[in-house]
Amino acid sequence: MNRRTFLKDAIVVITGAALPAAALEWLDPRQVLAENPQIRWAFLVDTHKCAGCGFCVKACKAENDIPYEASVTRTWIERYVVTQSGELLADSPQGGRDGFTSGSIDLPGGTRVSEEEIIRGFFVPKLCNHCASPPCVQVCPVGATYATPQGVVLVDRQWCIGCGYCIMGCPYGARFFHPVHKSVDKCTLCTHRLTRGDASACVEACPFGARQVGNLHDPNDPVTRAVVSERIGVLRDSYGSRPRVYYLGLSKEVH
Amino acid sequence: MIPAVYGESWTLKELMVLPNEFIYWSIQIVMYPFMTGLVAGSFILSSLYHLFGIKALKGVSRFALVFSLALLPAANLPPLLFLQSPERAHYIFITPHFTSAIAAFGLVVLLYAALVAAELWFIYRPYFVESEKALRAIPGLGLAGRLRRVLFGWLTLGARDIGEEALRLDARVVKILAAVGIPVACFLHGYAGFIFGAVKANAVWMTPLMPIIFIVSAVVSGIAFCILCYAGAMELRKLFLRRQFARRHPHACSLAEHRLAGIEEVEVRVASRYLAVFLLVALVLELLDVVFRGYTAMKSWDLLRQVVYGRDFFEIFVLQHGVGRLLPLLLLLLPGRTVKRTMAAAALVLVGVFMMRWNVVIGGQSVSLSAAGFMAYDLPVAPRDISAFKEGVAGALLVLGAPFVLFWMLNKIFPVFIVERAERAIKT
Amino acid sequence: MKEYVWRPMYVVVLIAALSLAVRFFLLPHDFGVHEGGYKYGYYRLGNIAEWESRPALFRSADDCGDCHRQSESLSASPHAFISCQNCHGPAAGHPEDPPTLAIDTGRDLCLRCHADLSYPAGGRDAVPGIDPLGHHPFRSCVGCHDPHHPRQEVQP
């Protein structure tokens, strides 16, 4: 193994470890990553940890130029509650961008459940699942959305005609029309951060460690280890989309 | 200022709806299959004469074919009004991604347009040749006349042989084109159904029946539309002739009107028979879909039931099936049918088919992916801004009106009533 | 069959050929089938680089301590686990551009975590809760609590 290939391999293993780029200035890390198929990004959400503060949504909107006041968002938090009568309810006011500051639930259309009626609740952060078989990509008529070799589903803003078929095709509601660019928009997993060795903005922002991004091809990555050793779930896998956002503590109520 | 989120202004959310969910596919996506349905349906009606030689449909068949061509560009208006970047619409031809049910749509439409245009060319070729000849014979032709002559010259494509043998050959080619055209028309519209039926994320849409339901309802709407317009056009012509005659001979009764009287009677009767049959099939298929979903009662039925029997009951059972299917069936089947009653039935059928598209497109989106909420669509009526114009009542009316304008223009090149005029010329 | 019956076909072929020629010029050179096959990997290759070259707005680590003493007090406080940028916004370019960061003294910032939900609610249980309407309403939290060291009294 010569110095170059050693470094190449090393860089893959320590992608998340933010190696100072200066030490490798003769080797563009981005180029290495692009050439290297040994990366398959995956996301891990620990629902036990999520406190519903909404910092992830706030950070995502700032990092990715999604107007804060617009109701659309690349990632959002859902709150599920069980009432005394055993009824299951969920809400996600403005995607949870301002956190969940009220114990009661006000749903659009006038349904209100007061705090006293609720016996239990929990939060589930959601985002694009970066599916291995993305139904949204399959239905794009012009090839404006695609899965990268590293497993990130992206939208080409310059090629999207805005037909909305991918929005219809996504079983998770992860896509929307960008209020400014008019093309379809969705989570990019902060691929611009990942290539620089940083974690996604929502991951950095989460104070509770409920979100992690990692490389499935690296056996020592915490995400990979969790996926292999923990009891994990994914959302709506009956659609055959093979999602790559894994959840710890997913309960049957979560849809 | 908060940038407007697409769909927010006309979506009413109820219970748990995901933040990114809106009624994204609005009125124009209702118009889209409605218009392509008319295109396909009127073509199939015209083919009944050309292919199966149902003589009674001769007049309405030519009318239907020209209208089919007029409807075709109009059917492409909705996507242009709907697309977020309409200036990129041609990308669909540059990088078609055929795993998408929309990608080939443009190609199929073009293929279909070529077929219809070719068929019309063979039907109207003698007319082009003769018109050019007639114009050539007029001395001192004005600029407009000369332009017309050049246009007709071009339209003949240099094929000026209108001998007996050539005309027979034309007829044979028309028959072949009609035969090829039927599967293409079915494909065109079955494909539109596939666009919806293949969306696995949408429980309302996802059924293999969807393409078939779409084809049948397309035929229904096409026939109804042609009956309505044909009979309507005839009434107008009568009215026109009566006026003209009255002006010239204030005291005599109109002979011309007599000649036209009842001319559409036979055609409308035969066409309405086909209408009734297809109407019944459409009704059966659509009810089968609901019955099947209810009987198998998969998880999604929980919500679908609330939509079908609750929230959209009026739209589905009253407007679509009641007013749009059963009532016209009665009007068509009860004895003593007149042309006027058939026209009424045809109009109701169109309402029914429109409601069916509405219930598929809007109703299909009304169930949230969260499986715990609904969305309602608040159709923009007043064109407050550009988007409320494009995707509101005004835009829909624009799309509805466009084929008539196009028909009027096409009628100058492919005069629909030419044969009668020729007959009249011989008689007088 | 006479020759003329093919003429409409010639017109169609001519239009098709012209369209293909136009397509040739409009097609981006790097558009094609890439890894993932036609179904999932048909795209303009250059777009990946476009996304990857976007500027990152949030700094990866809160290296604020060089200039701000708040780092020190924060790291010794129960709020140590909260990134500075959650409360002050993305810090890329700071202090050159932007020279300062946002300071939000609103109650909502703190209530994201501290609003008490009276029922067990996952991660929220780990945060000491207050009743947003009952705990000194309408006053800014930071008037009494130091956000960087909430267990310390605020120095007036």
Side-chain angles (χ1 to χ4, degrees), chain B residues 43-307:
Chain B
F43 181 85
I44 288 173
L45 177 65
S46 89
S47 297
L48 287 178
Y49 162 71
H50 290 299
L51 190 57
F52 304 114
I54 301 169
K55 289 267 160 35
L57 292 177
K58 187 171 176 194
V60 72
S61 136
R62 195 166 341 99
F63 181 86
L65 197 59
V66 177
F67 231 123
S68 186
L69 192 63
L71 281 162
L72 205 59
N76 287 303
L77 215 49
L80 289 180
L81 287 174
F82 162 75
L83 284 187
Q84 295 300 292
S85 306
E87 74 281 3
R88 295 181 186 167
H90 61 287
Y91 288 3
I92 204 162
F93 298 116
I94 298 179
T95 57
H97 188 218
F98 290 115
T99 62
S100 163
I102 297 184
F105 206 80
L107 290 175
V108 177
V109 167
L110 285 185
L111 173 69
Y112 178 77
L115 263 174
V116 175
E119 198 175 329
L120 279 172
W121 187 75
F122 281 106
I123 294 175
Y124 281 93
R125 202 175 60 83
Y127 169 76
F128 297 152
V129 174
E130 277 174 356
S131 301
E132 194 200 8
K133 216 194 282 169
L135 286 166
R136 221 180 264 284
I138 301 173
L141 208 55
L143 180 67
R146 254 177 295 159
L147 278 180
R148 272 175 70 81
R149 195 186 66 207
V150 173
L151 175 70
F152 282 122
W154 278 79
L155 281 174
T156 61
L157 297 179
R160 292 193 172 78
D161 177 3
I162 48 170
E164 190 88 349
E165 196 192 344
L167 289 187
R168 230 178 295 127
L169 183 58
D170 283 357
R172 236 175 61 216
V173 177
V174 166
K175 203 164 179 168
I176 294 172
L177 288 176
V180 178
I182 287 189
V184 175
C186 286
F187 189 66
L188 175 72
H189 207 64
Y191 201 69
F194 190 84
I195 290 178
F196 296 97
V199 176
K200 59 184 171 187
N202 191 310
V204 182
W205 290 345
M206 208 187 84
T207 160
L209 271 184
M210 198 60 98
I212 300 174
I213 290 181
F214 263 58
I215 291 175
V216 176
S217 60
V219 176
V220 168
S221 68
I223 298 180
F225 184 74
C226 288
I227 289 180
L228 192 62
C229 293
Y230 186 67
M234 287 303 193
E235 289 299 319
L236 277 182
R237 291 180 66 208
K238 275 186 225 163
L239 195 76
F240 187 67
L241 281 177
R242 202 182 304 142
R243 282 255 182 85
Q244 210 176 29
F245 194 83
R247 217 180 309 131
R248 276 191 222 142
H249 319 273
H251 305 297
C253 80
S254 158
L255 266 177
E257 197 194 336
H258 266 299
R259 255 203 309 278
L260 275 180
I263 188 163
E264 75 272 34
E265 183 84 36
V266 185
E267 313 204 319
V268 166
R269 186 179 56 212
V270 175
S272 66
R273 221 179 282 150
Y274 286 94
L275 179 60
V277 172
F278 281 110
L279 200 53
L280 211 59
V281 178
L283 187 66
V284 168
L285 277 175
E286 283 159 26
L287 289 182
L288 176 67
D289 185 43
V290 177
V291 169
F292 195 82
R293 285 166 191 274
Y295 187 81
T296 51
M298 302 288 279
K299 199 172 163 193
S300 56
W301 177 246
D302 273 353
L303 286 152
L304 289 197
R305 197 188 45 215
Q306 294 182 47
V307 171

Side-chain angles (χ1 to χ4, degrees), chain A residues 57 61 70-80 89-97 100 106-108 124-129 166-177 235-236 239 247 253-255, chain B residues 5-8 11-24 201 303 365-376:
Chain A
V57 182
K61 288 199 158 195
S71 55
V72 289
T73 171
R74 289 182 177 189
T75 183
W76 67 99
I77 309 172
E78 293 170 10
R79 166 169 60 183
Y80 290 78
L89 284 159
D91 74 341
S92 181
Q94 297 293 343
R97 64 161 193 231
F100 291 79
D106 284 293
L107 289 169
V124 181
K126 290 200 173 168
L127 66 157
C128 167
N129 281 275
C166 58
I167 302 179
M168 295 295 145
C170 171
Y172 304 98
R175 289 172 170 257
F176 54 91
F177 284 124
L235 293 171
R236 304 177 202 168
Y239 288 111
Y247 283 85
E253 291 96 350
V254 179
H255 182 71
Chain B
V5 170
Y6 181 85
E8 197 162 34
T11 305
L12 305 171
K13 296 189 175 187
E14 212 174 295
L15 301 172
M16 170 62 178
V17 178
L18 303 182
N20 296 334
E21 278 186 302
F22 295 100
I23 303 281
Y24 283 106
L303 286 152
Q365 292 174 85
S366 67
V367 181
S368 164
L369 287 167
S370 69
F374 300 98
M375 280 174 283

